[in-house]
Amino acid sequence: MRCSALPEDLVAAQCAWERTYRSLADPANRQRTTALRRRLLRLSVQVWWHPYWQQAGSGQRCAPRPESWNQDPGR
């Protein structure tokens, strides 16, 4: 199955989220925690509500589900 490419702005926001999260976890940034938390929240909203997810939520997936997911749990 072919995957559509993620939009550049979504990838950039996710990368910024990862960098901000790592900065927040770094003890050297104790003086900046409020600013980093605010940035992390803003980026979380940006990633979560990106229009791409509305299109991706239409049932199209990039990878098929593992066969084990299709098995009945009672087996």
Side-chain angles (χ1 to χ4, degrees):
M1 185 179 291
R2 195 157 187 235
C3 295
S4 60
L6 293 172
E8 288 183 32
D9 61 330
L10 178 57
V11 173
Q14 182 65 43
C15 290
W17 189 97
E18 294 283 340
R19 283 191 308 270
T20 304
Y21 188 86
R22 282 193 303 268
S23 293
L24 188 57
D26 186 356
N29 290 322
R30 284 188 181 160
Q31 301 299 321
R32 299 179 50 216
T33 56
T34 301
L36 290 169
R37 285 181 182 155
R38 288 179 181 157
R39 179 169 169 74
L40 193 63
L41 285 170
R42 191 181 81 246
L43 289 166
S44 296
V45 168
Q46 188 177 347
V47 169
W48 180 262
W49 292 107
H50 194 279
Y52 172 79
W53 300 121
Q54 289 178 341
Q55 297 166 357
S58 65
Q60 300 296 324
R61 297 286 182 243
C62 289
R65 293 172 58 168
E67 288 300 316
S68 62
W69 288 8
N70 297 328
Q71 292 178 357
D72 183 49
R75 288 186 196 184

